[in-house]
Every structure is written in structure tokens, then in C-alpha cells.
Amino acid sequence: MSRFFATGSDSESEESSSADEITPKTSGPNFRQSLLLSDDEEDTKRVVRSAKDKRFEELTNLIKTIRNAMKIRDMAKCLEEFDQLCRAFLKSKTIVDKEGVPPFYIRLLADLEDYLNQLWEDKEGKKKMNKNNAKSLSSLRQKIRKYNRDYETEIAAYKENPQESADEEEEKEAEESGSSSGSSDDDEEGEEALTAKSFLKKEVVPEANKFLKGAKGSGDESSSSDDEDDEDWGEDTVDSGSESSDDGEGKSSSLACRFLKKTQEGEKGLDKKREQKKKKTQKKERLEEEAEEEAGEEGEGGWEKVKGGVPLVKEKPKMFAKGTEINTTVVVKKLNEILQARGKKGTDRAAQIELLHLLAGISGEHNLGQGILVKIKFNIIASLYDYNPNLAAFMKADMWKKCLECIDELLDILFENNNIFIGENIAEDSENLAISETQPFRVRGCILTLVERMDEEFTKIMQNTDPHSQEYVDNLKDEGRVCGIIDRLLSYLETKGSTEEVCRIYLRRIMHTYYKFDYKAHRRSLGLQAETKSEQDQEESEGEDSAFIMDRLCKFIYAKDRTDRIRTCAILCHIYHHALHSRWYQARDLMLMSHLQDNIQHADPPVQILYNRTMVQLGICAFRQGMIKDAHNALLDIQSSGRAKELLGQGLLMRNMQERNAEQEKIEKRRQVPFHMHINLELLECVYLVSAMLLEIPYMAAHEFDARRRMISKQFHHQLRVGERQPLLGPPESMREHVVAASKAMKMGDWRTCHSFIINEKMNSKVWDLFPETQRVREMLVRKIQEESLRTYLFTYSSVYDSISMGTLSEMFELELAMVHSIISKMIINEELMASLDQPTQTVVMHRTEPTSLQNMALQLAEKLGGLVENNERVFDLKQGGYGGYFNRDQKGSYQQKQGYQRDGQRGGYQQKQGGYQGGHQGGYQGGHQGGYQGGHQGGYQGGYQGGYQGGYQRGGGGGYRNHQNRDQSNY
């Protein structure tokens, strides 16, 4: 017999009396043995639990913590506890494999996933979250979606009948609470100390449970309570470690006592369970009734269903008290009340817009006139613009659609009612909103400002949309509506607006037109007809070409505008449109007459971006027309900077990110041009490099031994050096490699190889097919490559030939004999080629006048000595305090006057008057009085007194591309 059953009493009274008499001195050896336990067992109350209970209790506690965190929307806590829950569940894997996944765990997974999905869809709620919570929400959502894939069937079963699963779980919780309450009652009965009997209540139960089946007849009251107790005790069964075969009277009496007490406790537990079930059924019925009522009321449109939390009863604010007479004064007063909340903290902007729409509807119902309706519409559009408080944010799609509709409605009202006068100069006191037969409506507001803001919002929408998505295409379709609104306002202001307002709306129309290529006008100019009948009908209905529209709008601005900015923008847009449609001479003349390059650096950044775009388009136009020098000069400033992308407003360079702060970066992004207005940067670079190649390669061949040779294009030379540094030369891949390979071929006079590198399928698809007149551009390029290759060949190999036949050259380069004759004649006249033409034999006779290597070295030495003397003079003059006439070249005795070191005076000098290799009165190879290849008094190829080929495209004064040789007599 086990020592735990060593003693017992025959009745309940004996048990209670023995509980009162707890002392170590109590007689009876068996009783002493029951109390002779370890010190730990005497000090603490032992509760023997199974491994399953321990693991499940740990899981339950973690789930409670997660649910509490869900209630307060603490996503960081949710994420942390969920990680712990996953680890705890992994530890319980052996128990879960035996028992199955507990339903409370499945319930949490399903509820947590639904909760996270609701939070994710709540955009406003996400914005209000702090950074840590928002990050945790994203991480937790990904984890739970991945984790729940392993439990899809269990979660689906739970979601099919969530109520039953919840009831089962609550029943288990109720059982636990019942047993715990029973144990607390027992503790209250024996408060004094640990007794044998109280210990037996805790410890004997699991062991005694094994014997209760045999002792069922000894005073049990209900078999159902026994079964339930068996289940409860069966879970907590542990091996006591000591069993006895002795069945005495003490054992049976003890068992009977224990059994009777537990029966009473079981009855209490049963009563509690029944009460809880009753409450649940009542609650379920009540919920069903409420759901039915809600469904009925929803059909009537009475109530809304809220997502979660405490339901807030939303009542639409009453616009006017019951019985109030609705007139203009009352509506204006209410309008002012609504507008007073505008801009205040906590104001619901969406509700404010809704109230204004409601007020407009009320004024329409009561026929208060169009004046008050126009005023309300003005405020609705202004509220739509104010919906995004941040200037950098763009309008959402629904707000944008509402804005366009409101502006259209406002314009409809203005067109239908000629007796409405609007303007910013109308004071609020002098407004006339009431219906009057004698006086027209007078409303304070500016429709032009609203349309300009609408145009800016459209630009912001396009800037903030991914240009490679379908959404960008859908948004771009709205440009038709925007242009339609601008056209309607344009026709309205032409009759009722001031000159300044007309100029402003004209500029808006120009900005939507200047960058678009008019394919229909281009087809008509070539004499081509539309392919289908519908296209022909459309062309006939469209009326005038974009060129006529631009001409009419821009000329009005030139004549009437008083602000420099609008006129400057109009001129640049006009030049851009001319250049885009290959009207080179009109574009060039307009640019030179405007003198914009003199003071464009003082303009604001958007105008400077427009100027850069215009210059680039002008250069591309010159290239298409075969004006290679003009194209190179126009593109030089943009391409040489290495920041073409940034200067054209087509993106920010990453290397300059450290130079600007966050605020400057936002400002720069707002200046960017929308993607559909971009200029292809690869096409731009290719045009520049090909132009540089056609200029630089013949020049390099002509000045191969010249120490004073200057680079025409630094970027082109950089690409050549990069190509030379490559250890392994394979076939060219990129556009730059194609140009470098073509340059090397041209340097050798091999025009066919050069042509194959410049014009091929890859280059056609990347560059040349992007031009409107593709075939004409290719033919021009082939012609230029042949001509420049011929010049390069003559410069490179002239020392090899005594004479060469022009017929041979014509066959080699596939040029007409007249063209070969023309090219060689120009080279001889310009003294680039020392030769003469023998007309009868059609040959070119070379002259041996090139300097020897010793002469070249002597010229270099003379040049360096001249620079040294100049520097010496400057240092001397600085020490003396005077400039000695060095910077005053008109005085006598100056350093470089008529008898100077390298001047062309009447009495000699280093470069004599009558000509020669490097001097002469009327020109020479590298200097002269009236011009030469590299300098002179009135101009030359690379610099001079009043200008030169490379004086600068944008520099004023007397230099550069705009060579004012006869400034007083004529001007472009």
C-alpha cells in the first residue's frame, strides 16, 4: 500500500476535524509517514502537469499577448510575439504530431491574417502609423502569408464554420476556469497550513483516478460527473512511483471521501457549464437578429458597416435648420462657415468638398441663380487643389477626374450666361450674386488661375507616374481633355479677357503644342495622302496645321506681351517647333534676332531648361539639313558639359546627389520634363559624335605635325582615347564604339568601312530610324562621309603623290567628277592643300612645300620662346605697377604692335607681308591680316580679333558663331 493512502477517515466530518488538527505531534505512525515529505514539498504547493499542458499554456499566453497587441495596433509587439510563438510551436512539434494542431492556434493564424489584410487595405491608417509600426506591418504580413501556406486546409475549415471553433475553444477555457475556481474554493476551506488532507486533494487525485472505476458504487451521485472527472483527471495522470497491492479499509474510506467531495465539485462545474452554454446560445440568437436587422436597413441605405473598433455614428451635418428660408444670403453665410475651416488642423478635406457639392445642389434646387453656383464651383475646385497639403504631392485619379469635370461645368455655365462677370479685381463687397433683371452677376474669382493650376497638376501627375507602365499611357490620354479645356477658355478670354490674360492662356496652348511633330502636315508637304478614308476625313476636319497655330499665337505674344518671361518662352517654343519640322533657316534667324543667348543666364531654371532643349533641337535640325558645322556648334555646350540629362531636365545625375540636400532635390524633381517630352539622349550624343568625326578627322590629318593643333571636340577625343586603350578590339557593340571604329576607318581614307560602321541595322534601329525623314538623312550621311574621306585621303597621302588623277579619285570615293573638282579647288584656295590643277589632263599636281621636321621643330621653338617673352613682360609690368602698354594695344610702343614679334606690319617682322607658309597680308596658312586658317584680324578658323569659328556659340560681343563683321549694316 502506498504511503499516500496510509490514513483516511470514515466520514466527511472526520476529514474536516483532521484538517483542523494539523500538528506534527498527532498520534499514529501512519499519519506521521504521510507528512514526512521533502522540504520542497512542504514549502510549496505542487501542481503536477503533463508536458502537453505546459506547452499549450505557453502557446496560449503568447496568443493572448498577440491579441492584446492587435487591439492597440502595436505591430512591432505583434511581430516580436509572433516570432516567439513560432519558436514555441516548433518546440511542441512532438506533442502536436500526436494530438494534432490545436484549434486555438489555427484560430489565431486565421484572425491575424485577416487583421493584417484589413490594416494593409486601410491606406489612411497606414499613413498615420509611425515608421517602426509600418515596417513591422509589412514584415509580419509577409511572414504570416508564408507561414499559413502549411495550414491552408485547417484555416479553410475554420473559416467555413468559425462559430463552432470559437465555441469549442471557449468551452475548454470554461473548463479550465471551473477547475481553477474549484481548487480556489478548496484552498479557502483549509487556509491555515498544509495538511495531509489538503495535500491529498492535490496529489492523490491522479493516482486515485485509476481506482474510481472499481469503486463506482460507493456513494456516487451521477455517472455523468464521473465521466467528466475521469476525462479531466486522465489528462493530468502521472506515475506516482509507488503502488501497493494492499486494499484496506482506510483506502476505501479515503477514496469514498475524495470521491464524494469531487462529485460535489463536478456538480458545481456542470452548473457553470450549463449557464455558459445558455449565455452563448442567447448571444448567438441576439447576433443573428442584429445581422438580419442590419441587412434590412442596409437595403434601405440607413447604416454603414465599419471595419473595427468602437463604431462611430456618422451623421451628415444638417446644412440648414428645419424651416429655414433658403436664399442667397443664407447660402453665402453657410459657404463662408465651411471655408473658415479650410486649412485648419484636423479639418476633413474630403468632407469639406462633399459639403460644398451639397451646398451647390441646394442652391440649384432652390433656383438661387448662376452667380452663387459659380462662386461655389470656384471654391470646390480650390478645395480639390488643397486636398493634398504637400506641394510635391500629386492629385489622385478620382480627385483629378472630379477637378476636370468641375472646370468643364464652370466653363459651361460661363458660356451659357453672358451676364456673369468674373475677375480677381472684383472686391467681395461689390459682388452681386442675387438674381437681378437690371444688374449682371459679378463674382470674385479667376478661371485662368484655376486652369493654370490644373495644367501644373497634370504635369505633376505625369512626373510621378512610371513612364513605362500602362498607367502613364492612360494618364496621357487626359491631355486631350486638358487641351480642350484650354481651348475653351482661350475662346472665352478672347472675347472677355484682358490682353495679359490672353497672352497667358496662349502660352499654355503653345506649351502643349511646340514639342509635337505634325505628321499630317508633314505628309501634306510631301504630297502624300492618308492611307484610309477615315484618316483623310479627320485631316480635313482638323483644319489648320500646327505651324499656323504656333505662328498666330506667338506673333500675338510678340506684339502684345509686356512681360519678358512669356515672350521669351514663346520665342523658344517657336524656334523649337521650326527646328522640329526642319525649317532650319527660320529657326536660325529667329534665334539670332532674339539675342537670347546674351542674357539667358539671368533667366529662371525652367526657362533655361527650355533654352537648352531648343538649342539641342536646333543642332539636330542642322544635322538633318547637312549643316555639320552648325550642328556641332549648337550641341557643343550641352554635350561638352557631360550633364546633358540634367541640363535638359530629363533626370538627376547620381554623382551630384551629395552636392544637394533633400529640399534642393525635391525642387529639382519638380522641374523635370515629363517623359513624353524627352529628347532621346542616345540620338543626341550620336549626332554630336558623328558631327565631330566629320570635322575632327580631316583637321587631324591636315595638322598631324602641328604643335599648336587644337581639339575641336574634347568629348570625341576622349572616346578615341578610350577606344585606343582597349586591349582587345572586337566588333563594336554600343553606339560610341561604332563611331570610334568609323573614325579610324575614315582616318585611313576608307569610306566604305566608315559607312558600314555608321549606317547598319543596329545603328538604324537605335538612331537613324528615329528621324522623320530617315532615308534622306542616310543619303546625306553617305555623301558627307565620302566628301570628308576624300579630304582626309588627300591630307594624309599628298606627300606620297607627285600627281593624282581626279578620275581615279572620283572612282575611289564614288563621287561625281565635278564634286571632286569642287572639293580640291576649295582646299587649294584655302591653302589647305599645296597643289595645282592641270585642267587638260584632269590631274592634281602636288607641290613640295611642306616644312621638314627640322623646320617644324624650329617653329615650335619660336612659339615657345614667344610665350616665354609674353610671360616675362607680364611679370615685369606687375612689379613696376604699370602695364607698359601690354593691355593697351592702340598706344605706340606696345609690345605687340605693328612691328611686333609675330605681327604683319608694313616693315617686316617674323611673318612677312607677301605671304608664305605662315604669314601674308591677305592670308596665310596660320595667320594674316584679313583671315587665315587659324587666326587673323577679322576672323579665322579658330579665333581672332573680331571672331572665329570657335569663339563660342552663346557668347555676345564680337565673337563666335554670330560673327558680326558688318554689325551696323545688317543683322539677322
Side-chain angles (χ1 to χ4, degrees), residues 733-751:
E733 294 289 336
S734 65
M735 177 271 301
R736 293 174 182 173
E737 290 176 359
H738 276 87
V739 176
V740 170
S743 302
K744 290 179 180 177
M746 183 183 277
K747 198 184 288 186
M748 304 302 294
D750 186 358
W751 76 271

Side-chain angles (χ1 to χ4, degrees), residues 545-596:
D545 296 337
S546 60
F548 296 114
I549 296 172
M550 288 290 295
D551 197 54
R552 178 171 60 84
L553 301 181
C554 290
K555 284 182 177 176
F556 181 88
I557 292 175
Y558 301 157
K560 304 288 184 182
D561 180 57
R562 296 175 186 173
T563 62
D564 287 337
R565 190 182 187 279
I566 292 179
R567 187 169 59 252
T568 301
C569 290
I571 290 172
L572 291 172
C573 291
H574 205 181
I575 295 168
Y576 190 104
H577 194 264
H578 278 314
L580 189 64
H581 292 83
S582 300
R583 295 189 286 269
W584 157 250
Y585 291 104
Q586 291 96 312
R588 184 199 63 178
D589 293 349
L590 191 55
M591 173 61 80
L592 294 177
M593 282 192 293
S594 64
H595 296 285
L596 287 176

